[in-house]
Amino acid sequence: MSLFPVPPTVCERELCVFAFQTLGVMNEAADEIATGAQVVDLLVSMCRSALESPRKVVIFEPYPSVVDPNDPQTLAFNPRKKDYDRVMRALDSLTSIREMTQAPYLEIKKQMDRHDPLAHPLLQWVISSNRSHIVKLPVTRQLKFMHTPHQFLLLSSPPAKESNFRAAKNLFGSTFAFHGSHIENWHSILRNGLVVASNTRLQLHGAIYGNGIYLSPMSSISFGYSGMNKKQQKVTSKDEMAASSKTSVHLQSQKKGEQPQFLQSRNLKCIALCEVITSPDLHKHGDIWVVPNTDHVCTRFFFVYEDGQVGDTSINTQDPGIHREILRVIGNQTATG
């Protein structure tokens, strides 16, 4: 019997396949299970960040719809009767995703059920409610200048939007820019897409340059929007070795040449690299770009930084070398041309 009584809504995408592997439904190679588990690990971290936020009433959307395992006619988690504390208790009862890859899954599920019968159903919902295509990038496909091992391919646009994007790209061309947003916002972004938050309850920063999705070709500006303070940012220099030594704590348990596979802390910062249409609708105010048309922005990559990891502030997507590197990597991931 499948552990998923109802097929997840993303079942035809790689994430769903990875989810099945992670949850022990498919008996595939261990490295594939680990890769999928890292994606699930990130989804759970995003869910937790949104739930812990003082803004959770606004940003923890969608709220889970989870059937009570003891009463199939009742929703244990109901968007019409929100109970954030109960969701947090279930989330706290989740066995770590790392542990799920190291033991028979049915045994892990039994342990979760003993702790909290809603823990496993909540995990299923976190995975199946995701509407984005998100895959951990292998080392050979990562953007080295981003200085983090936690790099993901992220395609969050539904087919209709992606189709509109390609049509506009054929007319106007495209380029790349960063979008910074607090980790707590990504639970909603992965399920609802990038939206214009200006003059809505979702707005966190001012919209001095008008309504639209705010991007920047400069990593330093978008890092600021992600909540990464100046001490967590760096400019590549002779001090790089000293800065990078801070991450050694994450690597000590890893074999030589390997990367830390799972997120080690809950204090996470993130930044997305997006492809944007270079149409007259793209308003450039120096290094701050505003895109009023949501169909003209599509996420491509997602980068996560932990405690001790620092982002390079000197990255400019308009630099020819950086642009070529992005095209080299994205050419191996998606057919965006």
Side-chain angles (χ1 to χ4, degrees):
M1 177 180 177
S2 169
L3 294 180
F4 286 110
V6 177
T9 54
V10 291
C11 60
E12 293 181 358
R13 302 183 183 182
E14 285 187 53
L15 174 67
C16 185
V17 175
F18 288 155
F20 280 156
Q21 293 167 354
T22 303
L23 298 178
V25 178
M26 299 170 69
N27 184 21
E28 296 291 345
D31 60 337
E32 292 183 350
I33 293 174
T35 302
Q38 291 165 60
V39 172
V40 177
D41 192 32
L42 177 63
L43 294 176
V44 171
S45 295
M46 289 173 170
C47 180
R48 180 181 297 279
S49 295
L51 201 52
E52 291 177 340
S53 170
R55 302 170 61 237
K56 61 178 174 286
V57 174
V58 176
I59 63 173
F60 189 60
E61 290 290 343
Y63 183 92
S65 294
V66 172
V67 174
D68 189 332
N70 297 318
D71 183 1
Q73 304 301 315
T74 304
L75 286 179
F77 292 134
N78 188 340
R80 295 175 181 270
K81 300 177 181 177
K82 297 177 180 178
D83 186 342
Y84 299 104
D85 290 339
R86 182 66 187 91
V87 178
M88 181 58 83
R89 288 203 305 275
L91 204 61
D92 285 339
S93 297
L94 280 181
T95 305
S96 80
I97 309 301
R98 181 190 290 103
E99 290 177 19
M100 290 185 195
T101 67
Q102 298 171 350
Y105 186 76
L106 288 178
E107 183 57 38
I108 294 292
K109 181 182 180 298
K110 288 178 183 177
Q111 292 178 20
M112 271 196 285
D113 289 344
R114 282 196 292 268
H115 276 287
D116 188 331
L118 296 185
H120 179 257
L122 178 61
L123 177 61
Q124 289 181 299
W125 179 85
V126 168
I127 295 168
S128 64
S129 64
N130 173 45
R131 294 294 187 272
S132 298
H133 177 92
I134 180 166
V135 180
K136 181 72 179 284
L137 292 174
V139 178
T140 55
R141 295 289 184 252
Q142 293 188 356
L143 291 164
K144 302 298 187 291
F145 56 76
M146 292 309 292
H147 298 295
T148 174
H150 305 302
Q151 301 193 20
F152 301 83
L153 174 72
L154 174 59
L155 308 178
S156 59
S157 301
K161 178 179 176 180
E162 190 72 42
S163 177
N164 291 340
F165 182 90
R166 290 171 190 251
K169 180 177 176 178
N170 288 335
L171 282 174
F172 302 109
S174 69
T175 188
F176 297 92
F178 294 106
H179 177 76
S181 188
H182 282 255
I183 186 76
E184 65 187 35
N185 295 324
W186 285 94
H187 169 82
S188 175
I189 292 173
L190 291 189
R191 291 159 177 81
N192 299 313
L194 282 173
V195 299
V196 174
S198 310
N199 299 316
T200 73
R201 292 196 307 161
L202 294 172
Q203 180 174 327
L204 186 59
H205 304 283
I208 189 171
Y209 295 114
N211 294 351
I213 296 172
Y214 278 60
L215 306 169
S216 177
M218 298 299 299
S219 58
S220 56
I221 292 176
S222 293
F223 276 136
Y225 282 98
S226 76
M228 186 180 288
N229 60 44
K230 295 297 183 183
K231 292 181 180 179
Q232 293 172 285
Q233 302 178 25
K234 72 179 176 69
V235 177
T236 304
S237 69
K238 64 182 180 181
D239 297 325
E240 186 169 308
M241 288 300 294
S244 64
S245 68
K246 295 179 182 179
T247 65
S248 62
V249 65
H250 301 315
L251 304 175
Q252 290 173 358
S253 63
Q254 302 293 323
K255 295 178 183 178
K256 187 176 180 181
E258 289 187 354
Q259 294 181 325
Q261 293 186 328
F262 292 90
L263 301 171
Q264 308 292 315
S265 71
R266 291 186 181 178
N267 184 21
L268 305 174
K269 310 298 180 186
C270 57
I271 187 173
L273 182 61
C274 303
E275 189 173 3
V276 55
I277 300 299
T278 49
S279 76
D281 290 339
L282 173 60
H283 304 307
K284 296 183 178 181
H285 305 272
D287 289 328
I288 296 180
W289 298 357
V290 183
V291 187
N293 185 346
T294 57
D295 279 352
H296 284 193
V297 180
C298 285
T299 56
R300 297 302 181 210
F301 297 103
F302 190 74
F303 310 95
V304 181
Y305 296 82
E306 301 190 82
D307 287 334
Q309 288 184 309
V310 287
D312 192 334
T313 64
S314 63
I315 301 303
N316 182 348
T317 60
Q318 303 308 289
D319 177 272
I322 296 295
H323 192 80
R324 279 195 301 272
E325 175 66 4
I326 295 171
L327 290 177
R328 181 190 70 81
V329 173
I330 205 168
N332 287 304
Q333 302 297 335
T334 63
T336 61

